[in-house]
Amino acid sequence: MRAVVLHEFGPAENLRYESLPDPVPGPGQVRIAVRAAGAHFVETVVRAGEAGDMAPPPPELPAVFGGEAAGVVDLVGAGVDADWVGRRVVTARSTPGGYAELTVADVSGVHPLPEGVSFEDAASMVVTGATTMGLLDIARLTPADVVLVTSAAGGVGRLVVQYAKALGATVVGAAGGPEKVRAVRELGADLAVDYNDSGWGSVVREHLGGRKVTAVLDGVGGEKAAAAFELIADGGRYVVIGWASQKAFEPGDDVLAGRGISYVNALLELLGRPEDGPGQQKQALEALARGELTPSHQTFPLAEAARAHAAMERRETTGKVLLIP
């Protein structure tokens, strides 16, 4: 099979498209002919050798990245019902990673695709959608909220905007650049702003009039997160759902206490609750099948995984990044 392999930590071009032996499913496993594989921004950090507290530990090299893989089961291991062969499935825990034409996974971690769900949408939702469901459970949004979502054009951000709007909340989506702002507006956000513009906070205040932001769901961190924090009403809440800038933002306890603002790093909370993952994956796929959440994705050929990583690092991608064998 063909796969994308990392032999040495470093820049995106270290990802090499090469031949590997076909994997063989072991007991309790299935092999999947991959049709779409998910790529994450955090994988660019790990690949570069810069993994820190907010990223998974680096893998042993050589490594094939990617856990999410959607495709068709073409072989089963011992103890697995042969009826799995030919099924359209998705998994979040493939081995080697999904950056390959073939991958294997424990059958216990494989989800049959609901009728009408595409491989691309399934790969977009199985982790990103499940993460979103978990983050939203922690955020506890209500129809009365005025919600500010940063990195609103990203994979999680887009789903959060859709969910909050469907709930009945007032939604402000902040993203970088005209194309991403346009995409957020098309999702139905009440206001979409470009947080690369220095005056974006004033635009939000003017649009809201006398109303205040009651909840920030921040997916970017850094200076933009600090600007978002200044828009929260006293007594509001600040929820970390990502860190696209690779820079943490955490207000001091005295500031939070003085304004009565609650702060929760929902992303870290989810990482500490891996047992919730399978249920949230099923929940996300069901929401997808019902049309309640619609992911957006940007595809790259598997052979161009290095280009996909470079685009993510330059913040040029919109929605979920997928690799297509």
Side-chain angles (χ1 to χ4, degrees):
M1 71 171 183
R2 302 289 284 176
V4 175
V5 185
L6 181 72
H7 292 273
E8 182 180 359
F9 295 113
E13 53 264 31
N14 283 13
L15 293 170
R16 302 178 190 169
Y17 186 60
E18 55 190 51
S19 295
L20 289 180
D22 291 354
V24 177
Q29 294 185 323
V30 299
R31 188 171 73 183
I32 301 168
V34 179
R35 299 291 185 267
H40 284 272
F41 178 81
V42 70
E43 291 168 349
T44 70
V45 179
V46 175
R47 184 219 68 233
E50 299 173 354
D53 293 341
M54 295 287 284
E60 291 186 13
L61 300 181
V64 177
F65 280 26
E68 302 132 303
V72 178
V73 174
D74 73 344
L75 191 64
V76 299
V80 179
D81 194 320
D83 285 350
W84 278 95
V85 174
R87 288 190 188 178
R88 302 168 65 253
V89 299
V90 66
T91 184
R93 300 185 64 82
S94 59
T95 307
Y99 290 24
E101 292 176 331
L102 296 170
T103 191
V104 300
D106 292 341
V107 71
S108 60
V110 171
H111 301 274
L113 295 194
E115 188 68 28
V117 170
S118 69
F119 294 122
E120 292 82 3
D121 282 351
S124 297
M125 285 292 281
V126 69
V127 169
T128 301
T131 299
T132 303
M133 304 306 283
L135 295 172
L136 289 168
D137 182 59
I138 294 170
R140 298 190 181 282
L141 300 180
T142 73
D145 275 317
V146 177
V147 184
L148 170 58
V149 184
T150 67
S151 197
V156 170
R158 282 173 170 261
L159 297 177
V160 170
V161 169
Q162 291 177 52
Y163 177 92
K165 275 304 298 178
L167 188 66
T170 299
V171 182
V172 176
E179 289 188 11
K180 292 185 177 183
V181 170
R182 188 179 309 113
V184 173
R185 188 177 298 116
E186 290 172 354
L187 289 171
D190 297 281
L191 174 67
V193 294
D194 188 341
Y195 54 24
N196 289 336
D197 294 340
S198 59
W200 72 273
S202 297
V203 175
V204 174
R205 291 188 183 92
E206 181 179 352
H207 175 83
L208 294 177
R211 302 182 70 192
K212 298 282 189 179
V213 172
T214 59
V216 168
L217 275 67
D218 173 47
V220 65
E223 295 179 358
K224 294 177 176 65
F229 182 79
E230 294 304 314
L231 295 170
I232 305 178
D234 291 353
R237 56 205 190 280
Y238 184 96
V239 183
V240 177
I241 63 170
W243 55 293
S245 71
Q246 301 183 57
K247 297 177 181 177
F249 170 74
E250 186 171 355
D253 291 341
D254 54 339
V255 175
L256 294 171
R259 296 184 55 195
I261 294 173
S262 65
Y263 173 96
V264 58
N265 191 322
L267 198 58
L268 282 183
E269 276 200 24
L270 283 188
L271 291 175
R273 289 154 43 181
E275 67 279 2
D276 294 346
Q280 289 165 349
Q281 291 164 18
K282 186 173 184 291
Q283 186 182 8
L285 292 170
E286 289 172 349
L288 170 64
R290 292 192 299 266
E292 295 173 358
L293 295 176
T294 304
S296 173
H297 49 259
Q298 183 171 345
T299 62
F300 294 81
L302 177 63
E304 298 181 18
R307 184 166 69 88
H309 269 228
M312 285 192 286
E313 289 174 311
R314 293 192 298 265
R315 306 289 301 279
E316 293 176 351
T317 59
T318 301
K320 178 69 179 177
V321 173
L322 298 178
L323 303 176
I324 308 298

